[in-house]
Amino acid sequence: MTSISYYSPDYQTARRRFHSAATEANALQERHRLIPGQYIEHDLSIDVAFVGSEHPDWVLVVSSGLHGVEGFFGSAIQLALLAQFGSGRILPENGRIVLVHAINPFGFHFQRRVNEDNVDLNRNFLLSDQKYKGRPPGYDRLNDFLNPKSPPSLMEPLWLKALSLVARAGIPALKVGIVSGQYDYPRGLFFGGQNAARSTCIVQSNFRRWLGGAQRIV
């Protein structure tokens, strides 16, 4: 197969191909369904495949789709890896590869960066002593511009507003204020959530088991 052939046109195709490739590689598999109410008819899930030892010394973890729209690339990498094992490649006895397909299945399916609650999952995996609170300095004054309550009218001087913000705050400050992530505006950009998302809970509650007690993990 050529490298481009590992790319799938949509989430459901990618998931079916991942399952088929994992089956052909004799990988153990798990499916963890995402059940966010109105989206249940789309049968969204995080799918996991394991190749190698049950009690490994080392583990390589390859995930895809933390930002859903990036799942096409990650899924292609995972399919290419599984194809090698389906073709007879043997992993050393003391190793394991864990493939976590579509950490953000909603975003993958609907081709969005965020999950079903507008959460950027990259900012949702916090340590136990961290709080889902806070925002960068200056985000408050940016919020109305970045997340207007209605689309701008044709007469609204949008570019003048943008240039005014740049002139007053400066590009470096704007970058920090926008992309650092925030936890106080649920409809805003780079929102990290106000609690652990369903995807986060699935990964956190299963990750130690997936690693099989390995001490070396990549």
Side-chain angles (χ1 to χ4, degrees), residues 34-44 106 110 116-117:
L34 199 70
I35 311 176
Q38 68 203 78
Y39 302 110
I40 191 170
E41 72 273 15
H42 297 289
D43 192 22
L44 308 176
F106 172 91
F110 290 102
E116 62 276 5
D117 297 314

Side-chain angles (χ1 to χ4, degrees), residues 128-149:
S128 58
D129 60 342
Q130 294 178 309
K131 305 298 182 184
Y132 290 91
K133 293 182 179 179
R135 57 195 180 276
Y139 187 89
D140 290 341
R141 66 177 176 176
L142 294 171
N143 186 64
D144 288 340
F145 177 78
L146 296 172
N147 308 293
K149 293 181 172 61

Side-chain angles (χ1 to χ4, degrees), residues 186-202:
R187 296 178 66 83
L189 294 177
F190 302 103
F191 174 56
Q194 294 177 333
N195 47 50
R198 168 69 175 159
S199 292
T200 303
C201 291
I202 289 171

Side-chain angles (χ1 to χ4, degrees), residues 102-158:
I103 290 181
N104 177 7
F106 172 91
F108 196 163
H109 180 69
F110 290 102
Q111 299 186 23
R112 298 194 64 202
R113 173 187 175 95
V114 295
N115 80 345
E116 62 276 5
D117 297 314
N118 193 46
V119 171
D120 184 338
L121 290 177
N122 192 45
R123 293 163 174 83
N124 191 253
F125 284 83
L126 300 186
L127 299 176
S128 58
D129 60 342
Q130 294 178 309
K131 305 298 182 184
Y132 290 91
K133 293 182 179 179
R135 57 195 180 276
Y139 187 89
D140 290 341
R141 66 177 176 176
L142 294 171
N143 186 64
D144 288 340
F145 177 78
L146 296 172
N147 308 293
K149 293 181 172 61
S150 60
S153 68
L154 294 176
M155 302 300 292
E156 189 172 349
L158 188 64

